[in-house]
Structures are given as C-alpha cells and as structure tokens.
Amino acid sequence: MENQQASIAEAEPEKLEREPVLTTGDTEMAASSIDGVAAAALRSVLQRVQQTAERCGRGSDRIRVVAVSKTKPVSLIRQVYDAGHRCFGENYVQEIVEKAPQLPEDIEWHFIGNLQSNKVKPLLTGVPNLSMVETIDDEKIANLLNRVVGTIGRKPLKVLVQVNTSGEESKFGVDPANCVELAKHVSLSCPNLEFCGLMTIGMKDYTSTPENFKALANCRSEVCKALGIAEDQCELSMGMSGDFEVAIEMGSTNVRVGSTIFGARESIQRSSKSSSSH
C-alpha cells in the first residue's frame, strides 16, 4: 500500500450525472472564514481511526483515509494538505481536473465517482497524479481505462472493483455474483491496470451497512481464492463519515470521509443513480 502518512463512489447515457459548476467567490470566502476547522476535524478523524484500529488489534498504518473534497474549494483542500494529509478523493471528473493543477503534485488523488466513458481520457490526461480509480463496475470501462493508460504511457493505474452489496437500484456497482468474473478480467486482461481490491457504498441511512460490509468481505474471499492471492493483498474500500469505524472493525483498509472533515456540502442535482455522501 502506498504511503499512508497522516492518511488514512458516476459510461452509459442513462447513467449521466450533472456535475457541479465550481465557483470561487462565496465558497473560497467560506473556507477562509473557518480557517483551521478542517485541519482540526482531520486530526479528530485520524485519532478515531487509530483508536478503532487498536481496539480491533489492527495497525492504523494499514488503513488509508481518503479525504473526500467534492464541492469544496481548493483553499479548504489546501488547509487539510497543510495539516499533513496527502490522499484526497473526488466524485466528478470536472472537479478533479479543475482542482488538481492548483494543488501540489504529491497529492494522491482517488476518483470515487461513477466514471463515464467519455470522461476517461480527460481524467487520465488532466490528473497525472491520479493514484486510483475506485469504481470499476463493468468490463467496458475497465477496457477503456486500460487502453487509455497504455496510450498516454503512464504507469499502471490502481483500480478497485465496485460491488453493489446493498442491491439498491440507486447505486452503481457489479452484482456480488459477478464480482469474481470482473476482478479476474481486470487482473488478467488489463495489463495497464493494477487490481487492488474491492469497494462498496453502504446503505444511505446506515441501517444495513454491517451486512453490506460483510458481503464485501465475502466477495474478497472469493476473489482471492480465484486469483490465488492472499486476502491482505486485496483492499476493502468501505466506510464513510457515518460508518467508517464500523467499516474498520469489519476489515476496511480504505475509508472515504468527506463531510466529517470538510463540513456539510451543498446538495447537487443528480440522476437517480448516485455516489451517495461520504
């Protein structure tokens, strides 16, 4: 797993989602008016991660926190960066492509939204320091990513297979029954992609997330058996602001925390399928 110091999901036409239009005025002003709050919130999250990990007999250095900065201004992201954090996540290609050039190159960006086919090349060319795409949910998008990565000549791209463990129509992700097949395709047929594990989004109201998390862990067992790899070589990205401690207790190695660090975000109009909140 890459450096985890101070660190610890949107192609088909019917799945199109409207991306937010970034503005700088009011949002930048709001960020500066709460100077230090996000950094303090980050420290609190990292402490909670450490305490939960220790309680489970796990090392907190094995748990990555992705600070989900969607809809938040660059100045607020910089505040968290200046507090020592290096791993950030975005849900929309438009946002990450606009933000990344304004921020230090040592940031490890995770794309955690549904990735539309026409956005693959802009994402890969616009964010040279893209570390991981967490939301591979079919062979078509995997093949396209693999082809573009090879074309632009960047190092292999780390990816996770997104699994719809809740069975909700509102969520993207491959059905658990098809998870092994997709993971094998990425691992064996996409040489420019590095299969790193699985990702899921729990129930929006968190009522069934333990079951969702257990389902993802079960998928991991099946995938690792099929690929002949150890389970500790297959990451589990699960857990968000409202349930990351439960996720860690159930084996998560990658938690995606947004509003708990950055504060509540403006609601965004989307289509029926969404990447939920973080």
Side-chain angles (χ1 to χ4, degrees):
M1 191 180 296
E2 65 269 31
N3 179 24
Q4 298 165 9
Q5 293 296 324
S7 54
I8 289 274
E10 297 169 27
E12 308 299 335
E14 66 271 22
K15 295 182 180 178
L16 291 177
E17 298 196 3
R18 183 178 305 161
E19 298 188 351
V21 176
L22 298 182
T23 60
T24 57
D26 294 340
T27 52
E28 296 286 354
M29 191 177 301
S32 61
S33 68
I34 56 170
D35 186 47
V37 173
L42 169 70
R43 288 190 289 270
S44 176
V45 167
L46 295 178
Q47 183 177 35
R48 290 167 63 187
V49 168
Q50 181 177 357
Q51 292 171 343
T52 305
E54 291 175 352
R55 189 166 64 245
C56 301
R58 301 179 61 195
S60 60
D61 61 333
R62 300 291 297 171
I63 302 164
R64 181 194 303 108
V65 169
V66 181
V68 182
S69 49
K70 69 175 182 180
T71 80
K72 297 302 180 179
V74 167
S75 58
L76 201 55
I77 299 172
R78 185 66 194 234
Q79 181 190 131
V80 175
Y81 174 92
D82 288 344
H85 204 67
R86 294 295 179 267
C87 188
F88 293 83
E90 287 286 342
N91 292 65
Y92 302 101
V93 172
Q94 176 185 325
E95 277 201 78
I96 193 171
V97 167
E98 290 185 10
K99 291 175 179 178
Q102 303 178 59
L103 290 158
E105 295 180 357
D106 63 339
I107 285 180
E108 299 171 0
W109 289 104
H110 283 221
F111 186 74
I112 61 173
N114 176 255
L115 184 56
Q116 302 161 13
S117 296
N118 63 338
K119 299 295 179 65
V120 167
K121 188 173 182 179
L123 173 64
L124 292 175
T125 57
V127 189
N129 51 332
L130 180 68
S131 177
M132 181 181 284
V133 171
E134 297 199 16
T135 49
I136 303 299
D137 61 1
D138 61 33
E139 291 187 4
K140 176 182 177 181
I141 202 70
N143 292 340
L144 183 53
L145 273 168
N146 180 66
R147 185 164 64 249
V148 175
V149 169
T151 299
I152 65 177
R154 63 155 283 163
K155 65 180 181 180
L157 176 67
K158 296 179 180 180
V159 298
L160 303 180
V161 167
Q162 181 176 2
V163 186
N164 186 344
T165 56
S166 66
E168 295 172 283
E169 287 293 324
S170 62
K171 289 191 172 67
F172 291 91
V174 66
D175 186 274
N178 300 318
C179 177
V180 171
E181 182 181 359
L182 181 54
K184 287 177 67 175
H185 177 80
V186 172
S187 297
L188 305 176
S189 302
C190 299
N192 297 314
L193 304 182
E194 180 183 348
F195 172 73
C196 292
L198 308 175
M199 175 266 206
T200 198
I201 302 172
M203 300 282 278
K204 187 174 182 179
D205 60 2
Y206 305 117
T207 56
S208 300
T209 48
E211 289 85 353
N212 300 155
F213 297 161
K214 183 177 181 182
L216 195 69
N218 291 339
C219 286
R220 176 172 66 176
S221 297
E222 296 173 4
V223 166
C224 290
K225 182 178 179 180
L227 295 178
I229 61 176
E231 291 198 2
D232 62 4
Q233 292 180 284
C234 185
E235 291 201 43
L236 292 181
S237 175
M238 58 190 195
M240 302 185 294
S241 284
D243 57 10
F244 70 84
E245 287 154 315
V246 174
I248 291 170
E249 292 173 356
M250 302 189 72
S252 179
T253 62
N254 188 86
V255 294
R256 310 178 305 272
V257 184
S259 57
T260 299
I261 295 173
F262 292 104
R265 55 177 70 93
E266 296 292 328
S267 60
I268 300 171
Q269 282 281 41
R270 302 194 189 102
S271 67
S272 58
K273 288 199 174 187
S274 75
S275 59
S276 190
S277 58
H278 297 81

